[in-house]
Amino acid sequence: EITRFADPTVLKLSSNHFKSVPTSICNLSVYGCDGILCPAGTCNCDGRQESDSSPCQVCDDTGVMGAVDCRYLDTGRVGGAMTADLNERRILSELYDACNGKKWRQQTNWGDVHKSLCEWDGVKCASNMESVQHLSLQSNNIVGTLSSQIFQLPNLIHLNLDDNPDL
């Protein structure tokens, strides 16, 4: 019986294809069912609400519960710092995908939904905020076409892409 888990934080259920959660386990979390898995049509980088500052946010095209991939976040319908973080994650994830990120020389934590984007190789964030200020990806085997989306990072003040001859 799943209700034997008194602490919902030990349940790691995100990034699956759940269509429902037994309501009997929702009372395990102070956030109800959102604390077990975000509802279909929403997402959160943890796949569930774990604090007051990390609610499940409206996303397009998630279709399943516990979505952690917020690439399709509709930022026009959501507000707050979480939205900025998710939008910046989307922009950086698109850069990674479009520019052959799996073959980058330094790519630690890129795309890891369980890590702050400030922990991604080459990313430095503004003090006390989860917002990209410096992006240093020099000599990193980046190939492809750089999207203008990169310039929509709201606090970006330094961009170093030196020595990536195939970019």
Side-chain angles (χ1 to χ4, degrees):
E1 176 80 25
I2 199 163
T3 56
R4 75 173 183 256
F5 293 100
D7 179 4
T9 62
V10 300
L11 294 172
K12 301 295 184 189
L13 304 173
S14 63
S15 297
N16 287 296
H17 291 259
F18 288 104
K19 297 288 184 182
S20 66
V21 170
T23 54
S24 61
I25 67 167
C26 293
N27 64 350
L28 294 176
S29 170
V30 296
Y31 303 107
C33 289
D34 284 10
I36 305 300
L37 286 173
C38 286
T42 66
C43 71
N44 168 305
C45 292
D46 297 311
R48 65 174 174 209
Q49 184 172 359
E50 293 188 344
S51 70
D52 290 337
S53 63
S54 68
C56 299
Q57 302 283 337
V58 176
C59 278
D60 291 336
D61 300 327
T62 60
V64 295
M65 300 182 78
V68 296
D69 186 350
C70 297
R71 290 175 187 227
Y72 306 106
L73 182 71
D74 183 348
T75 56
R77 289 189 279 173
V78 196
M82 182 76 153
T83 303
D85 172 40
L86 294 176
N87 192 45
E88 290 187 44
R89 281 179 181 273
R90 179 189 55 78
I91 291 169
L92 293 179
S93 293
E94 287 176 2
L95 168 71
Y96 182 82
D97 292 342
C99 294
N100 204 22
K102 290 184 180 196
K103 293 190 178 181
W104 289 0
R105 289 186 181 100
Q106 286 129 8
Q107 56 170 300
T108 302
N109 296 331
W110 274 76
D112 187 337
V113 297
H114 301 290
K115 298 285 187 181
S116 161
L117 61 87
C118 304
E119 296 178 67
W120 295 5
D121 266 347
V123 175
K124 182 178 176 189
C125 292
S127 297
N128 300 322
M129 30 182 348
E130 183 93 359
S131 185
V132 179
Q133 195 169 43
H134 296 261
L135 189 57
S136 299
L137 300 172
Q138 67 275 6
S139 304
N140 207 26
N141 195 37
I142 298 174
V143 300
T145 302
L146 185 67
S147 168
S148 62
Q149 291 273 320
I150 200 75
F151 301 108
Q152 292 183 12
L153 294 167
N155 292 300
L156 184 67
I157 58 172
H158 175 87
L159 176 63
N160 185 347
L161 297 169
D162 284 348
D163 195 28
N164 287 292
D166 294 317
L167 181 62

